[in-house]
Amino acid sequence: MELRHLRSFLALAEERHFGRAADRLHIAQPALSQQIKQLEREFGVTLFTRTTRRVELTSAGSRFAEHARAVIGSADRAAADMTMVASGQAGRVSVGFIGTATYDLLPAAAREVRSRLPEVRLELHGELLSPALSSGLIDGTYDLVVLRPDGGLSPEISVKVLRSERLVAVLPDRHPLARRDRINLASLRADPFVMHFSGHRSSMHEHVLAACAAAGFRPDPITEVGETATLVVFVAAGMGVALVPEPVRSLALEGVAYVALDDPATVDLAIATRAGDVSPATRQVADIVVRMCTEIGGGP
Protein backbone atom coordinates (compact mmCIF):
# COMPACT_ATOMS: atom_id res chain seq x y z
CA MET A 1 0.00 0.00 0.00
CA GLU A 2 1.41 3.39 -1.03
CA LEU A 3 0.22 6.94 -0.43
CA ARG A 4 -0.77 7.22 -4.09
CA HIS A 5 -3.09 4.25 -3.62
CA LEU A 6 -4.75 5.99 -0.68
CA ARG A 7 -5.13 9.23 -2.64
CA SER A 8 -6.67 7.31 -5.51
CA PHE A 9 -9.06 5.53 -3.17
CA LEU A 10 -10.16 8.82 -1.57
CA ALA A 11 -10.62 10.51 -4.94
CA LEU A 12 -12.90 7.68 -6.07
CA ALA A 13 -14.72 7.66 -2.73
CA GLU A 14 -15.48 11.38 -3.14
CA GLU A 15 -16.22 11.44 -6.89
CA ARG A 16 -18.13 8.12 -6.97
CA HIS A 17 -17.13 7.85 -10.64
CA PHE A 18 -14.00 6.28 -12.15
CA GLY A 19 -13.74 8.76 -15.03
CA ARG A 20 -14.03 11.88 -12.87
CA ALA A 21 -11.68 10.47 -10.24
CA ALA A 22 -9.09 9.58 -12.88
CA ASP A 23 -9.30 13.08 -14.36
CA ARG A 24 -8.85 14.60 -10.90
CA LEU A 25 -5.78 12.45 -10.30
CA HIS A 26 -4.40 13.06 -13.81
CA ILE A 27 -4.06 9.34 -14.47
CA ALA A 28 -5.70 6.94 -16.90
CA GLN A 29 -8.89 5.24 -15.79
CA PRO A 30 -7.45 1.70 -16.17
CA ALA A 31 -4.56 2.68 -13.87
CA LEU A 32 -7.03 3.87 -11.26
CA SER A 33 -9.04 0.66 -11.53
CA GLN A 34 -5.85 -1.37 -11.10
CA GLN A 35 -4.86 0.54 -7.93
CA ILE A 36 -8.28 -0.04 -6.35
CA LYS A 37 -8.10 -3.73 -7.18
CA GLN A 38 -4.64 -3.93 -5.61
CA LEU A 39 -6.00 -2.47 -2.39
CA GLU A 40 -8.95 -4.85 -2.35
CA ARG A 41 -6.65 -7.84 -2.93
CA GLU A 42 -4.27 -6.68 -0.21
CA PHE A 43 -7.05 -6.25 2.37
CA GLY A 44 -9.22 -9.13 1.23
CA VAL A 45 -12.33 -6.94 1.19
CA THR A 46 -14.49 -5.20 -1.40
CA LEU A 47 -14.17 -1.44 -1.04
CA PHE A 48 -16.64 -0.36 -3.74
CA THR A 49 -19.74 -1.69 -5.39
CA ARG A 50 -19.69 -0.83 -9.06
CA THR A 51 -22.56 -0.26 -11.49
CA THR A 52 -22.49 1.06 -15.04
CA ARG A 53 -23.36 4.56 -13.80
CA ARG A 54 -22.13 4.86 -10.24
CA VAL A 55 -19.62 3.65 -7.69
CA GLU A 56 -20.57 3.32 -4.01
CA LEU A 57 -18.51 2.60 -0.91
CA THR A 58 -19.15 -0.66 0.87
CA SER A 59 -19.24 -0.72 4.67
CA ALA A 60 -15.60 -1.84 4.60
CA GLY A 61 -14.83 0.99 2.19
CA SER A 62 -16.46 3.56 4.47
CA ARG A 63 -14.43 2.31 7.41
CA PHE A 64 -11.20 2.34 5.38
CA ALA A 65 -11.91 5.90 4.21
CA GLU A 66 -11.55 7.09 7.82
CA HIS A 67 -8.11 5.49 8.05
CA ALA A 68 -7.07 6.78 4.63
CA ARG A 69 -8.02 10.37 5.46
CA ALA A 70 -6.06 10.17 8.72
CA VAL A 71 -2.96 8.77 6.99
CA ILE A 72 -3.07 11.29 4.14
CA GLY A 73 -3.69 14.14 6.56
CA SER A 74 -0.72 13.08 8.67
CA ALA A 75 1.49 12.73 5.59
CA ASP A 76 0.47 16.15 4.30
CA ARG A 77 1.16 17.74 7.68
CA ALA A 78 4.55 16.04 7.82
CA ALA A 79 5.42 17.30 4.33
CA ALA A 80 4.33 20.83 5.23
CA ASP A 81 6.34 20.67 8.46
CA MET A 82 9.46 19.51 6.61
CA THR A 83 9.04 22.38 4.15
CA MET A 84 8.96 24.77 7.12
CA VAL A 85 12.03 23.10 8.63
CA ALA A 86 13.92 23.41 5.34
CA SER A 87 13.11 27.11 5.14
CA GLY A 88 13.96 27.74 8.79
CA GLN A 89 10.35 28.43 9.79
CA ALA A 90 10.25 25.46 12.18
CA GLY A 91 12.69 23.51 14.31
CA ARG A 92 14.48 23.69 17.66
CA VAL A 93 17.20 26.23 18.43
CA SER A 94 19.13 26.35 21.70
CA VAL A 95 20.66 29.77 22.38
CA GLY A 96 23.09 30.76 25.15
CA PHE A 97 23.77 34.33 26.27
CA ILE A 98 26.46 35.89 28.40
CA GLY A 99 25.26 37.93 31.37
CA THR A 100 25.36 41.31 29.62
CA ALA A 101 23.26 40.15 26.68
CA THR A 102 20.85 38.39 29.06
CA TYR A 103 19.42 41.72 30.19
CA ASP A 104 18.74 43.56 26.93
CA LEU A 105 19.31 41.32 23.91
CA LEU A 106 17.79 38.06 25.15
CA PRO A 107 14.26 39.37 25.88
CA ALA A 108 14.13 41.48 22.70
CA ALA A 109 15.30 38.58 20.50
CA ALA A 110 12.93 36.12 22.20
CA ARG A 111 9.93 38.36 21.58
CA GLU A 112 10.87 38.80 17.92
CA VAL A 113 11.40 35.07 17.36
CA ARG A 114 8.03 34.23 18.92
CA SER A 115 6.40 36.83 16.68
CA ARG A 116 8.11 35.96 13.40
CA LEU A 117 8.89 32.25 13.86
CA PRO A 118 6.05 30.81 15.99
CA GLU A 119 6.88 27.23 14.95
CA VAL A 120 10.51 27.48 16.10
CA ARG A 121 11.00 26.02 19.58
CA LEU A 122 13.45 28.37 21.24
CA GLU A 123 15.48 27.19 24.23
CA LEU A 124 17.08 30.13 26.04
CA HIS A 125 19.98 29.99 28.49
CA GLY A 126 21.17 33.20 30.14
CA GLU A 127 23.76 34.47 32.62
CA LEU A 128 26.52 32.24 31.21
CA LEU A 129 30.25 32.86 30.80
CA SER A 130 32.01 32.95 27.43
CA PRO A 131 34.28 29.89 27.94
CA ALA A 132 31.29 27.74 28.91
CA LEU A 133 29.31 29.06 25.92
CA SER A 134 32.17 28.29 23.56
CA SER A 135 32.55 24.70 24.78
CA GLY A 136 28.77 24.23 24.85
CA LEU A 137 28.56 25.33 21.24
CA ILE A 138 31.21 22.82 20.19
CA ASP A 139 29.66 19.89 22.07
CA GLY A 140 26.17 20.63 20.72
CA THR A 141 24.58 21.93 23.92
CA TYR A 142 23.88 25.22 22.11
CA ASP A 143 23.20 25.93 18.44
CA LEU A 144 23.89 29.65 18.76
CA VAL A 145 25.65 31.72 21.43
CA VAL A 146 26.26 35.37 22.23
CA LEU A 147 29.66 35.77 23.89
CA ARG A 148 32.91 37.73 24.17
CA PRO A 149 35.08 36.93 21.10
CA ASP A 150 38.40 36.73 22.91
CA GLY A 151 41.49 35.10 21.47
CA GLY A 152 41.79 31.34 21.57
CA LEU A 153 38.33 30.49 20.23
CA SER A 154 38.25 27.14 18.47
CA PRO A 155 38.39 27.08 14.63
CA GLU A 156 35.21 24.99 14.89
CA ILE A 157 33.37 28.21 15.76
CA SER A 158 32.26 30.91 13.32
CA VAL A 159 32.12 34.35 14.98
CA LYS A 160 30.54 37.67 13.96
CA VAL A 161 31.03 40.80 16.11
CA LEU A 162 27.72 42.45 16.99
CA ARG A 163 28.79 45.59 18.84
CA SER A 164 31.40 47.16 21.10
CA GLU A 165 30.31 47.98 24.65
CA ARG A 166 31.86 50.63 26.88
CA LEU A 167 32.79 49.71 30.42
CA VAL A 168 31.11 51.69 33.19
CA ALA A 169 31.73 51.71 36.92
CA VAL A 170 29.20 50.22 39.32
CA LEU A 171 29.38 51.84 42.75
CA PRO A 172 27.41 51.45 45.97
CA ASP A 173 24.97 54.35 46.00
CA ARG A 174 26.65 55.71 49.18
CA HIS A 175 30.09 55.77 47.56
CA PRO A 176 31.63 59.30 47.55
CA LEU A 177 31.75 59.23 43.73
CA ALA A 178 28.28 57.74 43.14
CA ARG A 179 26.68 61.09 42.30
CA ARG A 180 29.29 62.03 39.69
CA ASP A 181 28.34 62.01 35.99
CA ARG A 182 31.78 60.73 35.08
CA ILE A 183 34.89 59.60 36.93
CA ASN A 184 38.47 58.64 36.23
CA LEU A 185 39.02 54.93 36.74
CA ALA A 186 42.20 55.67 38.73
CA SER A 187 40.02 57.26 41.41
CA LEU A 188 38.86 53.72 42.35
CA ARG A 189 42.37 52.36 42.97
CA ALA A 190 41.80 52.17 46.75
CA ASP A 191 38.48 50.35 46.51
CA PRO A 192 37.98 46.58 46.72
CA PHE A 193 36.67 45.17 43.42
CA VAL A 194 33.97 42.61 42.67
CA MET A 195 34.85 40.73 39.47
CA HIS A 196 33.89 37.71 37.41
CA PHE A 197 35.81 34.47 37.89
CA SER A 198 39.50 34.38 37.03
CA GLY A 199 41.50 31.49 35.62
CA HIS A 200 40.06 31.69 32.09
CA ARG A 201 36.57 30.94 33.42
CA SER A 202 35.38 34.41 32.37
CA SER A 203 36.67 36.75 29.68
CA MET A 204 35.54 39.82 31.65
CA HIS A 205 38.07 39.22 34.44
CA GLU A 206 40.98 39.89 32.10
CA HIS A 207 39.22 42.86 30.48
CA VAL A 208 38.76 44.55 33.85
CA LEU A 209 42.35 43.87 34.89
CA ALA A 210 43.55 45.35 31.59
CA ALA A 211 41.42 48.49 32.04
CA CYS A 212 42.73 48.97 35.57
CA ALA A 213 46.32 48.40 34.44
CA ALA A 214 45.85 51.10 31.79
CA ALA A 215 44.70 53.40 34.63
CA GLY A 216 47.88 52.61 36.59
CA PHE A 217 46.78 50.13 39.24
CA ARG A 218 45.82 46.53 39.96
CA PRO A 219 42.60 45.91 41.98
CA ASP A 220 43.12 44.52 45.46
CA PRO A 221 41.36 42.88 47.20
CA ILE A 222 39.10 41.09 44.68
CA THR A 223 35.87 39.18 45.31
CA GLU A 224 35.02 36.79 42.45
CA VAL A 225 31.51 35.85 41.33
CA GLY A 226 30.02 33.84 38.47
CA GLU A 227 27.03 35.89 37.38
CA THR A 228 26.75 39.55 36.44
CA ALA A 229 23.55 39.97 38.45
CA THR A 230 25.32 38.58 41.53
CA LEU A 231 28.20 40.99 40.91
CA VAL A 232 25.84 43.98 40.96
CA VAL A 233 24.09 42.67 44.08
CA PHE A 234 27.48 42.38 45.85
CA VAL A 235 28.22 45.99 44.92
CA ALA A 236 24.83 47.05 46.32
CA ALA A 237 25.76 45.22 49.54
CA GLY A 238 28.85 47.40 49.86
CA MET A 239 31.38 44.65 49.16
CA GLY A 240 33.24 46.70 46.56
CA VAL A 241 33.03 48.41 43.19
CA ALA A 242 32.98 46.86 39.73
CA LEU A 243 33.37 47.49 36.01
CA VAL A 244 30.69 46.15 33.70
CA PRO A 245 29.67 46.62 30.06
CA GLU A 246 27.21 49.51 29.68
CA PRO A 247 24.11 47.38 28.85
CA VAL A 248 24.18 46.15 32.47
CA ARG A 249 22.61 49.53 33.32
CA SER A 250 19.30 47.88 32.37
CA LEU A 251 19.73 45.76 35.50
CA ALA A 252 18.35 48.51 37.73
CA LEU A 253 18.94 47.31 41.28
CA GLU A 254 18.49 49.42 44.38
CA GLY A 255 21.66 50.48 46.13
CA VAL A 256 23.93 50.93 43.10
CA ALA A 257 24.92 53.75 40.78
CA TYR A 258 26.30 53.35 37.26
CA VAL A 259 28.90 55.98 36.47
CA ALA A 260 30.57 56.64 33.11
CA LEU A 261 34.37 56.62 32.83
CA ASP A 262 36.47 59.46 31.41
CA ASP A 263 38.34 57.16 29.05
CA PRO A 264 36.33 53.93 28.97
CA ALA A 265 37.70 50.68 27.63
CA THR A 266 35.42 48.66 25.36
CA VAL A 267 34.63 44.96 25.03
CA ASP A 268 33.17 43.29 21.96
CA LEU A 269 29.98 41.28 21.90
CA ALA A 270 29.68 38.60 19.22
CA ILE A 271 27.35 35.92 17.92
CA ALA A 272 28.80 32.48 17.22
CA THR A 273 27.73 29.21 15.59
CA ARG A 274 29.47 25.95 14.77
CA ALA A 275 31.38 26.45 11.55
CA GLY A 276 29.64 24.70 8.66
CA ASP A 277 26.93 23.21 10.88
CA VAL A 278 24.05 25.68 10.98
CA SER A 279 20.44 24.60 10.54
CA PRO A 280 18.02 26.82 8.59
CA ALA A 281 16.15 27.63 11.84
CA THR A 282 19.41 28.59 13.56
CA ARG A 283 20.24 30.93 10.66
CA GLN A 284 16.81 32.56 10.96
CA VAL A 285 17.22 33.07 14.71
CA ALA A 286 20.78 34.37 14.23
CA ASP A 287 19.51 36.95 11.73
CA ILE A 288 16.94 38.13 14.27
CA VAL A 289 19.57 38.39 17.04
CA VAL A 290 21.82 40.46 14.77
CA ARG A 291 18.96 42.77 13.79
CA MET A 292 17.73 43.21 17.36
CA CYS A 293 21.25 43.98 18.56
CA THR A 294 21.50 46.72 15.94
CA GLU A 295 18.12 48.17 16.94
CA ILE A 296 18.95 48.09 20.66
CA GLY A 297 22.46 49.41 20.71
CA GLY A 298 23.98 49.80 17.31
CA GLY A 299 26.40 47.60 15.42
CA PRO A 300 30.17 47.18 15.87
Side-chain angles (χ1 to χ4, degrees), residues 95-102 125-139 141-142 144-154 157 159-160 162-163 165 196-207 225-228 245 267-273:
V95 189
F97 292 82
I98 62 167
T100 307
T102 299
H125 309 268
E127 276 288 9
L128 299 169
L129 300 176
S130 291
L133 287 168
S134 175
S135 60
L137 186 61
I138 293 171
D139 69 22
T141 301
Y142 311 117
L144 179 72
V145 298
V146 178
L147 45 55
R148 303 288 175 204
D150 297 318
L153 286 178
S154 168
I157 294 177
V159 178
K160 173 185 174 66
L162 295 172
R163 67 191 182 197
E165 300 173 342
H196 288 88
F197 288 141
S198 58
H200 305 293
R201 289 176 291 170
S202 166
S203 61
M204 279 303 301
H205 188 94
E206 297 304 319
H207 283 299
V225 300
E227 297 180 346
T228 303
V267 291
D268 286 340
L269 185 72
I271 188 170
T273 56

Side-chain angles (χ1 to χ4, degrees), residues 11-250:
L12 183 57
E14 292 167 4
E15 297 292 343
R16 307 296 174 99
H17 189 278
F18 273 95
R20 290 195 299 271
D23 289 341
R24 173 173 154 182
L25 294 165
H26 305 293
I27 62 175
Q29 186 171 326
L32 173 59
S33 297
Q34 186 61 32
Q35 289 181 25
I36 300 303
K37 289 178 182 178
Q38 287 175 356
L39 284 175
E40 291 179 324
R41 284 197 300 270
E42 183 171 347
F43 298 142
V45 297
T46 299
L47 298 173
F48 295 96
T49 56
R50 302 151 172 90
T51 67
T52 55
R53 294 191 175 186
R54 193 165 177 80
V55 177
E56 295 290 346
L57 283 167
T58 63
S59 58
S62 296
R63 188 176 180 87
F64 181 61
E66 296 176 11
H67 295 296
R69 289 190 184 96
V71 171
I72 293 298
S74 180
D76 288 345
R77 287 191 296 274
D81 188 57
M82 290 303 99
T83 298
M84 293 182 70
V85 168
S87 66
Q89 301 298 306
R92 182 193 72 87
V93 182
S94 177
V95 189
F97 292 82
I98 62 167
T100 307
T102 299
Y103 312 129
D104 64 344
L105 187 53
L106 185 157
R111 286 192 297 269
E112 191 72 1
V113 170
R114 283 197 297 268
S115 173
R116 295 183 176 273
L117 303 171
E119 297 302 317
V120 170
R121 183 159 61 90
L122 197 61
E123 296 180 1
L124 300 172
H125 309 268
E127 276 288 9
L128 299 169
L129 300 176
S130 291
L133 287 168
S134 175
S135 60
L137 186 61
I138 293 171
D139 69 22
T141 301
Y142 311 117
D143 303 301
L144 179 72
V145 298
V146 178
L147 45 55
R148 303 288 175 204
D150 297 318
L153 286 178
S154 168
E156 298 176 59
I157 294 177
S158 177
V159 178
K160 173 185 174 66
V161 173
L162 295 172
R163 67 191 182 197
S164 291
E165 300 173 342
R166 292 176 296 181
L167 294 182
V168 299
V170 190
L171 311 179
D173 62 0
R174 295 186 179 183
H175 192 283
L177 303 177
R179 298 293 176 264
R180 299 278 188 90
D181 291 331
R182 187 176 298 274
I183 62 173
N184 189 294
L185 180 54
S187 63
L188 300 178
R189 66 170 63 245
D191 287 279
F193 267 67
V194 184
M195 296 171 58
H196 288 88
F197 288 141
S198 58
H200 305 293
R201 289 176 291 170
S202 166
S203 61
M204 279 303 301
H205 188 94
E206 297 304 319
H207 283 299
V208 172
L209 288 182
C212 291
F217 71 99
R218 179 180 178 83
D220 183 56
I222 294 173
T223 299
E224 296 186 5
V225 300
E227 297 180 346
T228 303
T230 303
L231 181 150
V232 178
V233 168
F234 276 28
V235 172
M239 297 180 65
V241 300
L243 296 184
V244 297
E246 191 163 23
V248 178
R249 285 180 182 270
S250 62

